[in-house]
């Protein structure tokens, strides 16, 4: 877990560049389930390839974490837990896993960016790393999120 003082210092630096951002330090999280996965996905974000992500709504139900919402700001951490970017959520749509679109799969920027790749890799991910006891189901609710990079720009 990243030290709150580190996040506050990072956020103050970001706000110095963009004073229109809110004073309160946003929540922080990393993509993926391992440090290497976090770094690889962050690199896709910073390269402008990854503009979307997906989460299992059942995981939010299990952990009690608030679901993403349009306008939400997030500090994105690298695999070591260091703050590296700020994202703003621009769209959120919840659909069954088997109804995630080709367009959304492409926005996630992973693999060959096809829906087939997305379904195979995400099913593997949720079978291995789900935070809820239900694991994976083909019709489980998936929160499809789109975002834009606020920092670095």
């Amino acid at each position: 877990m990243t030290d709150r003082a580190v996040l506050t210092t990072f956020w103050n630096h970001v706000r110095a560049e963009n004073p229109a951002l809110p004073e309160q330090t946003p929540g922080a999280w990393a993509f993926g389930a391992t440090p290497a996965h976090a770094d690889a996905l962050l690199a896709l974000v910073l390269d402008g390839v990854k503009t979307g992500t997906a989460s299992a709504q059942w995981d939010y139900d299990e952990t009690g974490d608030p679901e993403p919402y349009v306008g939400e700001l997030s500090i994105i951490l690298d695999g070591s837990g260091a703050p590296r970017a700020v994202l703003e959520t621009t769209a959120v749509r919840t659909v069954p896993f088997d109804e995630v679109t080709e367009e959304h799969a492409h926005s996630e920027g992973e693999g060959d960016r096809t829906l087939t790749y997305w379904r195979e890799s995400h099913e593997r991910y949720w079978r291995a790393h789900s935070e809820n006891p239900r694991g994976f189901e083909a019709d489980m609710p998936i929160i499809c999120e789109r975002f834009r990079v606020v920092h670095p720009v």
Side-chain angles (χ1 to χ4, degrees):
M1 185 73 169
T2 301
D3 184 284
R4 192 73 190 160
V6 170
L7 295 175
T8 301
T9 299
F10 175 79
W11 185 243
N12 289 340
H13 169 76
V14 172
R15 284 194 70 240
E17 294 176 2
N18 187 349
L21 292 171
E23 207 171 297
Q24 183 175 1
T25 304
W29 51 273
F31 288 102
T34 67
H37 199 206
D39 287 341
L41 295 175
L42 175 62
L44 292 174
V45 169
L46 296 176
D47 288 344
V49 175
K50 183 174 181 62
T51 60
T53 194
S55 307
Q57 184 176 18
W58 291 346
D59 288 348
Y60 283 96
D61 294 345
E62 182 68 21
T63 64
D65 291 337
E67 292 181 18
Y69 58 89
V70 172
E72 179 179 24
L73 296 170
S74 298
I75 296 173
I76 305 304
L77 308 173
D78 66 16
S80 72
R84 294 283 311 280
V86 176
L87 304 182
E88 179 184 9
T89 301
T90 59
V92 177
R93 191 171 77 110
T94 303
V95 298
F97 177 88
D98 56 7
E99 293 180 26
V100 170
T101 65
E102 182 81 40
E103 185 274 331
H104 183 80
H106 188 267
S107 79
E108 291 207 27
E110 299 170 48
D112 64 7
R113 301 179 83 175
T114 64
L115 184 56
T116 299
Y117 177 88
W118 185 92
R119 284 187 176 151
E120 290 170 357
S121 65
H122 283 74
E123 179 177 343
R124 260 192 325 274
Y125 176 86
W126 282 310
R127 286 191 185 281
H129 302 288
S130 184
E131 296 181 79
N132 74 82
R134 292 183 268 189
F136 172 83
E137 295 292 335
D139 62 350
M140 63 190 256
I142 301 300
I143 301 170
C144 296
E145 185 178 352
R146 297 297 300 269
F147 55 79
R148 71 179 185 92
V149 176
V150 173
H151 175 85
V153 289

